Amino acid sequence: MTDVLCITVTYSPGPTLEAFVGSLAPNGFPPGRVVVVDNGSTDGAPEAVAEAHPEVTLVRAPGNVGYGRAVNLGAEQARSADEWLLVCNPDTLATPDTLARLLEAAHRAPRAGALGPRVLDPDGSVYPSARALPSIRTGIGHALLSGVWPSNPWTRRYQQRDVSASASPAEVGWLSGAFLLLRREAFDQIGGFDPDFFMYFEDVDLGRRLAEAGWSNLFVPEAVVTHVGGESTARSADAMVAAHHRSAHLYVAKTHPGALWRPVVAVLGVGLRLRSRATIVLDRLRG
């Protein structure tokens, strides 16, 4: 497995990081092939894991630089022989053959630039990790109705839950960045993650740019991981909601440039800010 470099980004991850690294061992990672890029943790978890595991290299980002930028920093640790980058959240758990299944699928599909496994929630339910690229119409319908009418046609079209639950591989618009095998050639060709996205939508944007460059995003259901959920996002729920809506607006702006779209992008920006504030208030009331 000397041609795969694993990259994970941390921000006070708690015990999830130790469990994540432990789940990689059955996937054959040799020493020095797991890079932890830390965005300013204060809980000591990245240091403890790096000390306990010789296969882990700790890279300190210059502050909290965001997810995509941190992954790009980790990619700089790759050797010339590395053909693959495995980008994972530290709150995921791989099954013993996860990486082997992804690599097998990659070798069968030489134009696959990104490959993602089936992602399970802690209760064993399937998370919709293989999705369509959102259009403005689909995005508005999903944003307005997903909370009160989860089965609305716009959310169904965007989330593609039938694909994520399927037993068959499928090319999709984008794949969740929670656990993502990236072909190094494709990643380098498009310049890695767009650092303008601080958090959220960087994986949507990556899938879009890979497709524009002629690569595919391949869902591989025989590979399975569990997304247990992270401590850092749970502690910063309000900030995460706000970041998600800012990134959604940025994605719309990047995919609809020019004077013709400027008024539409501006109106959507106002709507997203209002939705962000409303979501935070409702979450506090429920909590």
Side-chain angles (χ1 to χ4, degrees):
M1 210 68 70
T2 56
D3 56 353
V4 180
L5 178 69
C6 178
I7 304 167
T8 189
V9 177
T10 55
Y11 184 73
S12 295
T16 60
L17 179 61
E18 173 68 38
F20 162 72
V21 171
S23 77
L24 291 178
N27 282 275
F29 277 91
R33 307 310 296 148
V34 180
V35 173
V36 175
V37 184
D38 185 59
N39 267 346
S41 296
T42 58
D43 64 352
E47 294 83 358
V49 168
E51 183 176 351
H53 296 273
E55 71 273 22
V56 171
T57 299
L58 179 60
V59 174
R60 299 187 187 278
N64 190 358
V65 299
Y67 185 80
R69 191 185 294 271
V71 172
N72 292 345
L73 286 174
E76 294 176 3
Q77 301 294 313
R79 302 183 300 210
S80 58
D82 290 326
E83 297 180 28
W84 308 96
L85 301 175
L86 183 66
V87 178
C88 311
N89 285 2
D91 57 357
T92 55
L93 296 172
T95 52
D97 62 350
T98 301
L99 183 57
R101 300 287 183 143
L102 290 173
L103 287 170
E104 289 168 5
H107 290 306
R108 294 193 299 266
R111 293 305 298 173
L115 300 98
R118 190 193 309 279
V119 178
L120 303 180
D121 286 326
D123 62 1
S125 59
V126 176
Y127 174 78
S129 61
R131 302 192 182 193
L133 289 173
S135 65
I136 285 184
R137 180 182 299 178
T138 299
I140 291 174
H142 171 66
L144 291 177
L145 298 173
S146 59
V148 295
W149 182 17
S151 62
N152 73 79
W154 297 277
T155 295
R156 290 203 311 270
R157 186 179 303 126
Y158 172 53
Q159 291 188 341
Q160 295 188 310
R161 287 181 177 270
D162 56 333
V163 175
S164 295
S166 171
S168 301
E171 291 187 10
V172 296
W174 66 279
L175 296 154
S176 170
F179 203 100
L180 196 59
L181 180 67
L182 297 168
R183 197 179 297 269
R184 174 91 176 278
E185 178 187 355
F187 185 82
D188 289 347
Q189 180 183 337
I190 65 171
F193 283 99
D194 185 340
D196 289 346
F197 292 92
F198 180 79
M199 190 172 189
Y200 299 114
F201 275 83
E202 70 283 323
D203 45 8
V204 186
D205 178 74
L206 185 83
R208 175 184 66 85
R209 290 188 292 119
L210 283 171
E212 288 179 351
W215 300 93
S216 65
N217 297 276
L218 185 63
F219 172 62
V220 185
E222 59 266 32
V224 180
V225 302
T226 299
H227 193 184
V228 298
E231 291 196 359
S232 57
T233 53
R235 288 195 305 268
S236 309
D238 290 356
M240 297 300 99
V241 169
H244 186 275
H245 285 79
R246 284 195 300 269
S247 291
H249 183 220
L250 178 61
Y251 180 81
V252 172
K254 282 180 174 287
T255 53
H256 296 82
L260 182 63
W261 284 104
R262 197 168 297 137
V264 177
V265 172
V267 170
L268 287 173
V270 173
L272 285 165
R273 285 194 295 274
L274 291 174
R275 186 180 188 274
S276 174
R277 293 169 187 168
T279 301
I280 290 171
V281 169
L282 289 173
D283 286 347
R284 288 177 179 175
L285 291 173
R286 291 169 185 153

